[in-house]
Amino acid sequence: MNNAPIAVFDSGQGGLSVWSELYRGLPHESLLYYGDGKNCPYGNQSKEQVTEYVDYAVRRMLEAGAKMVVIACNTATAAAIDYLRASYPVPFVGLEPAVKPAALTSRSGVIGILATAGSLKGHLFQTTAHKYADRVRIIEQVGEGFVELVENNQENSPEAYETVVRLLKPMLDAGADRIVLGCTHYPFLADTMRKVIGDRDVQLINPAPAIERRVASLLEQYALTADVDHKPEYTFMTSADDVYLARLIAKSEQAKALVSAGNAAIFR
Ligand code: DGL
């Protein structure tokens, strides 16, 4: 048993799509969220630079007592997960675009992958894509502009709609019936994407529920599960300023409710 927090890291607010699943599925676990708002977006930055940012954040989260770290950012995972696992003694959970469930369930034989440039270049994605390449046709698309729209609360704006139309059109025209949300910011655009998809038989694949199951199983495996009567604590941290942190918290209904009820700590 271990009542220390699980750390959830993202370049910004996107990791809240994973945080929400952990909050829902692991009600006894304390959660510590860190959004690197000062350095977001990561998507077009070098592997070395991203590794440096992530390393700094991970050190802060471990100093705060984290027992496990979820890198709720595909780009950060692609850049730094090997380094992190080799450098720190806690279990790490990383994210990579969910090619496998898309490839195994596609009926049209065409799947679309939306992710950042950094994730699509990474060896995790390249290896997985290669593995399924003879089963499905994979259409890769960098979600250019998506992270900025989400960070600026513009996911339901006309600009978001136009951007989604432009980026999804090639995969929809090619007959993709599965679209992988390979960046944790993208689930926040799911409503706009569904509008663009209309009545086509296309499923969006968000890996967050699978990540929650993975975390639950690793907690068991490492005997790190919190006590059933543990009252969880929720903490939100950022490298950016208080205005950013307030926006980050407002992004998640659950986080907002926790903070306004005085049930979450916030610090910079
Ligand atoms: N949310 C991140 C991901 O899953 C990265 C977004 C960014 O900073 O570009 O890839």
Side-chain angles (χ1 to χ4, degrees):
M1 291 296 154
N2 188 322
N3 292 335
I6 300 170
V8 183
F9 171 81
D10 181 44
S11 63
Q13 303 167 23
L16 287 167
S17 59
V18 175
W19 179 94
S20 299
E21 284 298 322
L22 300 178
Y23 175 76
R24 191 194 51 73
L26 302 169
H28 307 294
E29 298 294 341
S30 291
L31 301 174
L32 166 68
Y33 186 91
Y34 186 115
D36 192 11
K38 192 170 125 195
N39 299 309
C40 186
Y42 281 3
N44 292 320
Q45 301 196 57
S46 72
K47 181 179 157 91
E48 293 70 28
Q49 181 65 78
V50 170
T51 302
E52 201 176 296
Y53 294 147
V54 181
D55 189 42
Y56 175 78
V58 165
R59 271 188 279 122
R60 287 198 61 194
M61 295 188 291
L62 294 179
E63 277 159 24
K67 63 183 173 185
M68 177 187 284
V69 180
V70 181
I71 302 294
C73 177
N74 296 257
T75 315
T77 301
I81 199 79
D82 295 342
Y83 164 80
L84 294 170
R85 289 193 171 124
S87 305
Y88 298 104
V90 297
F92 283 89
V93 176
L95 263 81
E96 64 171 304
V99 176
K100 183 177 172 185
L104 295 183
T105 59
S106 172
R107 286 190 298 259
S108 68
V110 184
I111 65 171
I113 313 288
L114 290 166
T116 67
S119 295
L120 294 176
K121 275 197 305 239
H123 76 85
L124 286 174
F125 171 73
Q126 288 296 331
T127 309
T128 313
H130 185 73
K131 200 161 142 194
Y132 292 96
D134 54 1
R135 189 175 182 118
V136 285
R137 178 174 164 218
I138 297 177
I139 300 179
E140 298 171 22
Q141 175 66 58
V142 173
E144 209 62 71
F146 282 177
V147 170
E148 290 82 349
L149 286 164
V150 173
E151 288 284 312
N152 294 315
N153 276 338
Q154 295 298 311
E155 47 274 65
N156 297 309
S157 64
E159 189 194 342
Y161 187 84
E162 280 163 31
T163 310
V164 169
V165 168
R166 187 161 41 80
L167 300 188
L168 261 58
K169 195 170 184 302
M171 49 182 79
L172 294 174
D173 288 352
D177 65 350
R178 298 289 181 272
I179 296 180
V180 173
L181 305 178
C183 166
T184 52
H185 281 74
Y186 300 173
F188 289 97
L189 284 157
D191 287 345
T192 302
M193 290 183 190
R194 282 192 202 99
K195 277 189 203 140
V196 171
I197 289 167
D199 56 10
R200 294 179 183 86
D201 184 17
V202 175
Q203 270 179 30
L204 299 175
I205 300 193
N206 173 8
I211 296 300
E212 186 272 315
R213 293 192 293 275
R214 174 79 185 136
V215 169
S217 112
L218 281 180
L219 288 172
E220 289 276 327
Q221 187 183 326
Y222 288 93
L224 289 174
T225 311
D227 286 317
V228 282
D229 56 0
H230 174 239
K231 191 173 168 333
E233 286 167 18
Y234 301 101
T235 307
F236 295 90
M237 294 168 76
T238 184
S239 54
D241 60 13
D242 291 343
V243 175
Y244 182 84
L245 194 56
R247 273 213 327 266
L248 184 151
I249 288 161
K251 198 83 182 168
S252 153
E253 285 305 323
Q254 297 109 319
K256 201 162 66 181
L258 283 170
V259 171
S260 54
N263 289 332
I266 49 179
F267 66 94
R268 289 172 59 193

